Amino acid sequence: MPELPEVEITRRGFASRIAGARIEGLRLGQPLRWPLGIVADELVGRTVVQVRRRGKYLLLDLDQGVLLVHLGMSGRLRFDTMLPPPGRHDHADLQTTQGTLRLHDPRRFGALVWAAAADAGMAGKLLSTLGVEPLEPGFQPESFYQALGRRSAAIKQVLLAGDCVVGVGNIYACEALFQAGIRPTVRAARLSRPRVARLHAAIRDVLQQAIARGGSTLRDFAGVTGELGYFQLDAAVYGREGLPCKRCGTPIRKTAQGARSSYFCPCCQRF
DNA sequence: CTATGGACCTGAATGC
DNA sequence: TGCATTCAGGTCCATA
């Protein structure tokens, strides 16, 4: 489900409301992708200082340690003082003095991981391989060009790999490549400086537009209070196979790369 | 080191 | 109607 915009929308929906809260308990449902890494009861009494985002991870900074949350493909968070009894797919309830943070995740590709510090243990391992944040000043055309120059894989797959730049998933990779006029199958290292500069700008633009629209609700994404996203209505190519390109009218094509679908306009993205 | 494919898991949509 | 197959917003890991 969630790429950077959806994770950021989720973060904004509860960060200020949970800040300063004291943890009163943690109820766990079925196992998620990784074990929590601590006995749930040991979290009781700790305070949530702030909520940050790194790539598609949310980091709950506690007064002692950090809780890392990933939404996987189907994860969704709620935060409220009154929640219904946990259902079949509600796999974690972090109860605090200011409300309960509930992780709902039917496919269970998501995770809740504790670490003594953001660079320690499993959390440290997960975070250490991440690329540059696309919406922060460290994301620059020249360094992006240099990074892509070392990769011979298809540009779409390099974007999804998340080691050059983070947060770009299947929807926004397709959209950014369309906006930059680049075919998803081009090998990353073959892109010229000007084209990488276009892609750099397109990634930032697409992600910012998506955040402004509340993310994309394809089937079940919603923010922490249930609000839906609307970016999918603006999508130029994603999910539009056979429909006319919004720019030139040519039917959008769909192709497989790895196990993922790529959508592109064969006319606007010639090479 | 890089590139590729399988693995994890459930539910909805599609096809016979 | 029933059952099998395919696909879905992610990303780690083993293999070549």
Side-chain angles (χ1 to χ4, degrees):
Chain A
M1 155 195 71
E3 304 182 34
L4 184 151
E6 291 75 30
V7 177
E8 179 61 20
I9 290 294
T10 297
R11 190 191 71 79
R12 292 180 186 182
F14 78 104
S16 64
R17 290 190 290 144
I18 204 174
R22 178 182 174 279
I23 295 172
E24 297 184 308
L26 174 61
R27 181 202 65 83
L28 294 172
Q30 285 187 268
L32 293 162
R33 178 149 189 188
W34 294 292
L36 177 61
I38 190 176
V39 176
D41 291 347
E42 291 185 61
L43 292 172
V44 173
R46 299 188 186 183
T47 301
V48 180
V49 177
Q50 62 176 347
V51 184
R52 293 179 292 145
R53 179 188 56 72
R54 176 77 176 94
K56 298 171 190 167
Y57 290 94
L58 287 175
L59 281 71
L60 277 66
D61 286 322
L62 309 182
D63 57 333
Q64 189 183 27
V66 54
L67 265 178
L68 185 150
V69 181
H70 197 286
L71 301 179
M73 287 279 264
S74 56
R76 172 176 165 180
L77 290 179
R78 301 268 183 92
F79 183 72
D80 215 317
T81 48
M82 287 290 287
L83 285 174
R88 172 165 150 69
H89 299 303
D90 296 327
H91 300 304
D93 275 348
L94 185 72
Q95 294 134 357
T96 80
T97 48
Q98 290 165 204
T100 296
L101 185 68
R102 169 171 290 177
L103 176 58
H104 174 88
D105 185 6
R107 293 180 71 181
R108 290 192 280 125
F109 290 166
L112 182 65
V113 177
W114 182 86
D119 59 356
M122 175 55 105
K125 186 172 159 189
L126 296 171
L127 297 175
S128 67
T129 54
L130 297 182
V132 177
E133 281 294 327
L135 300 182
E136 286 180 12
F139 186 47
Q140 291 293 325
E142 180 60 23
S143 50
F144 190 39
Y145 173 73
Q146 296 296 334
L148 294 183
R150 288 174 227 122
R151 309 295 292 273
S152 67
I155 181 61
K156 164 86 180 316
Q157 308 209 252
V158 173
L159 292 178
L160 293 187
D163 46 4
C164 290
V165 61
V166 290
V168 182
N170 209 31
I171 298 177
Y172 302 115
C174 290
E175 294 300 314
L177 287 167
F178 170 80
Q179 194 169 311
I182 296 168
R183 188 147 317 198
T185 47
V186 184
R187 291 170 176 271
R190 302 210 47 182
L191 292 169
S192 65
R193 247 190 200 88
R195 301 190 82 207
V196 170
R198 270 188 88 183
L199 180 58
H200 170 270
I203 288 169
R204 292 179 52 93
D205 186 63
V206 163
L207 294 177
Q208 280 165 342
Q209 293 293 330
I211 291 171
R213 291 284 259 148
S216 297
T217 297
L218 290 193
R219 46 204 112 245
D220 55 6
F221 172 72
V224 285
T225 49
E227 74 280 10
L228 304 178
Y230 296 95
F231 181 83
Q232 72 282 2
L233 303 175
D234 299 341
V237 290
Y238 186 84
R240 300 193 66 246
E241 182 188 17
L243 296 175
C245 171
K246 292 179 176 180
R247 209 178 130 252
C248 75
T250 304
I252 298 302
R253 293 233 308 258
K254 176 181 175 179
T255 187
Q257 289 186 278
R260 318 300 296 278
S261 294
S262 294
Y263 298 85
F264 66 98
C265 171
C267 173
C268 298
Q269 298 165 270
R270 288 196 161 283
F271 55 92

